[in-house]
């Protein structure tokens, strides 16, 4: 393996670790916001303004989770393509 390929492979591994941590944190934040939205919905006491605000919080949290999942899939796909693994995990 040439030095350039080794450096590139090492950089890919480090980038994968960093993105895994960042995507985990983003997913955890989205789940926490989803729970907060659920709590706000339950304690809204029928106030239409608070109910709508809680529903929006839940919606945005779900959208955030979808974005995190898609980002994880895209990052893994790109890194696997650079490494030549096809579809296997890093």
């Amino acid at each position: 393996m040439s030095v350039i390929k080794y450096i590139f492979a090492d950089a890919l591994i480090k980038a994968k670790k960093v993105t895994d941590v960042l995507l985990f944190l983003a997913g955890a934040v989205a789940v926490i916001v989803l729970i907060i939205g659920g709590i706000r919905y339950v304690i809204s006491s029928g106030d239409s303004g608070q109910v709508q605000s809680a529903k929006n919080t839940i919606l945005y949290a779900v959208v955030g989770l979808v974005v995190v999942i898609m980002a994880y899939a895209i990052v893994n796909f790109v890194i696997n393509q650079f490494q030549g693994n096809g579809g296997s995990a890093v």
Side-chain angles (χ1 to χ4, degrees):
M1 182 181 249
S2 72
V3 174
I4 294 173
K5 285 185 179 180
Y6 177 75
I7 292 171
F8 187 68
D10 190 45
L12 281 176
I13 292 170
K14 288 179 182 177
K16 172 92 169 83
K17 288 180 182 178
V18 169
T19 56
D20 282 348
V21 169
L22 291 175
L23 291 172
F24 172 78
L25 291 174
V29 168
V31 169
I32 290 169
V33 170
L34 183 64
I35 292 170
I36 290 170
I39 291 171
R40 287 178 59 198
Y41 185 78
V42 169
I43 64 172
S44 65
S45 302
D47 181 13
S48 62
Q50 288 182 351
V51 168
Q52 188 61 40
S53 177
K55 284 182 180 180
N56 286 340
T57 301
I58 293 169
L59 175 67
Y60 299 149
V62 170
V63 169
L65 276 173
V66 170
V67 168
V68 167
I69 291 168
M70 294 302 293
Y72 181 77
I74 291 169
V75 166
N76 279 332
F77 175 78
V78 170
I79 288 177
N80 287 335
Q81 293 305 311
F82 278 123
Q83 286 184 334
N85 291 343
S88 64
V90 173

